[in-house]
Amino acid sequence: MKTCGLIECLNIIALVILCSRAAHGQLSSTFYEDSCPYIWPIVREAVAQAVEKEKRMGASLLRLHFHDCFVNGCDGSILVDDTPTFKGEKNAGPNANSVRGYEVIDIIKSRLEFACSGVVSCADIVAIAARDSVVELGGPTWPVQLGRRDSRTASLSSANTLLPSPFANLSTLISQFQAQGLSAKDMIALSGAHTIGQARCTIFRSRIYKESNIDTAFATSMQANCPSSGGDNNPSPLDVATPTFFDNNYYKNLRSLRGLLHSDQVLFNGGSADAQVATYSMDPYAFFSDFATAMVNMGNINPLTGTSGEVRKNCRKIN
């Protein structure tokens, strides 16, 4: 019996998700088929250029989608700039000096405005860019459901309270994801996004100096770039093995007690998530499949559709 190669299997995974999942609300993978048929290559080219210039940008664009969706739904609210009379989400604790990629979204938006003015929402751009970033770094693909509209506001307070903390324990993480309509399985799969990207010293300092469920050699190596005081913004890769390649090493790291964040290692610490982490560490196909499904689920968090919201002309400003 002939078996599929990795790319063939990933394409099959995407097809299965598309065929087995009804569009959420008014979202559809063919939403812009007539109104902006070149949306896919336009976004793909811009993402490829950004990732080629800086591999880390792939992780940043993926994280941008996550931080958008967890605050009042996938509505592009994270993109809105502060003004003298308005404070949005960009400078919330989990986002300030941390979330990146806004300039890439601006580039994509300008190209789409040239191709089909006033048609494609910023929220949809963020969703497609996240998928294309993962693919650029060797990860799975999935059918991005489209038709989201952009919020006319943003919420600093919600960004400060709804986004999961890197210091959270397992039960808190499960509860926060369930509050968004995502299962514990989704949470563990989505956490695998930390197979790419970086974290600042201030986020993981307490783990590498104070926690006991950590590989000693790993902790020592991380301390070289993250002193016990100072250097708060010094970055370190979340996966030291393959920091710019989307694979299942994140889960292998957890089993070796080499998770960089507290919220990473709690997924493999004698609790209910251990079995799923073990499976993903041994079976990259299972991880890729579940990650793709979880990304579709996350992209369906409370989208604005129909006549709700707007399609921004500039992703940084309300029309």
Side-chain angles (χ1 to χ4, degrees), residues 229-246:
S229 62
D232 285 1
N233 290 321
N234 291 353
S236 290
L238 290 158
D239 169 17
V240 296
T242 52
T244 59
F245 190 73
F246 197 99

Side-chain angles (χ1 to χ4, degrees), residues 21-22 31 43 49 117 137 174-175 182 195 198 211 221 228 263 268 294 297:
R21 188 178 183 87
F31 187 84
V43 178
Q49 290 170 345
S117 179
L137 296 179
I174 291 174
S175 295
L182 300 173
T195 190
Q198 301 181 4
E211 296 188 10
S221 68
S228 57
S263 58
F268 193 82
N297 293 342

Side-chain angles (χ1 to χ4, degrees), residues 35-272:
S35 59
C36 194
Y38 299 110
I39 181 174
W40 304 107
I42 288 173
V43 178
R44 183 169 60 248
E45 180 183 40
V47 170
Q49 290 170 345
V51 173
E52 181 180 12
K53 183 178 180 180
E54 181 193 6
K55 291 289 186 182
R56 181 187 173 194
M57 186 55 68
S60 297
L61 291 170
L62 175 59
R63 187 162 181 254
L64 186 64
H65 184 35
F66 176 84
H67 279 232
D68 181 34
C69 290
F70 259 62
V71 181
N72 301 329
C74 308
D75 60 1
S77 57
I78 194 173
L79 306 174
V80 180
D81 283 342
D82 289 354
T83 71
T85 59
F86 171 79
K87 301 300 179 185
E89 298 165 21
K90 284 186 174 179
N91 287 307
N95 296 334
N97 301 313
S98 177
V99 175
R100 308 165 67 245
Y102 301 114
E103 295 80 7
V104 178
I105 303 301
D106 292 339
I107 291 170
I108 297 171
K109 179 62 174 176
S110 66
R111 293 179 183 179
L112 286 170
E113 283 297 300
F114 180 80
C116 38
S117 179
V119 173
V120 180
S121 70
C122 301
D124 277 347
I125 292 172
V126 171
I128 302 173
R131 191 275 308 274
D132 289 353
S133 293
V134 170
V135 173
E136 281 294 317
L137 296 179
T141 187
W142 59 89
V144 182
Q145 303 293 303
L146 302 173
R148 302 171 189 81
R149 287 167 63 86
D150 299 319
S151 171
R152 292 192 176 99
T153 186
S155 176
L156 176 65
S157 60
S158 293
N160 277 323
T161 57
L162 296 177
L163 287 163
S165 166
F167 309 106
N169 59 33
L170 181 58
S171 61
T172 298
L173 290 172
I174 291 174
S175 295
Q176 287 184 299
F177 276 72
Q178 287 178 337
Q180 302 286 355
L182 300 173
S183 67
K185 182 178 182 180
D186 288 332
M187 182 272 291
I188 299 166
L190 289 170
S191 296
H194 285 181
T195 190
I196 53 176
Q198 301 181 4
R200 294 176 296 143
C201 170
T202 187
I203 300 300
F204 60 86
R205 177 183 285 119
S206 60
R207 168 150 171 76
I208 63 174
Y209 283 98
K210 298 180 180 180
E211 296 188 10
S212 59
N213 62 339
I214 187 170
D215 177 78
T216 303
F218 173 70
T220 300
S221 68
M222 291 296 102
Q223 289 168 7
N225 192 46
C226 182
S228 57
S229 62
D232 285 1
N233 290 321
N234 291 353
S236 290
L238 290 158
D239 169 17
V240 296
T242 52
T244 59
F245 190 73
F246 197 99
D247 55 24
N248 67 332
N249 271 333
Y250 169 78
Y251 300 101
K252 296 178 181 180
N253 293 338
L254 298 186
R255 296 189 72 184
S256 300
L257 303 184
R258 294 164 66 91
L260 184 62
L261 307 183
H262 176 84
S263 58
D264 289 328
Q265 196 58 59
V266 296
L267 300 185
F268 193 82
N269 194 39
S272 60

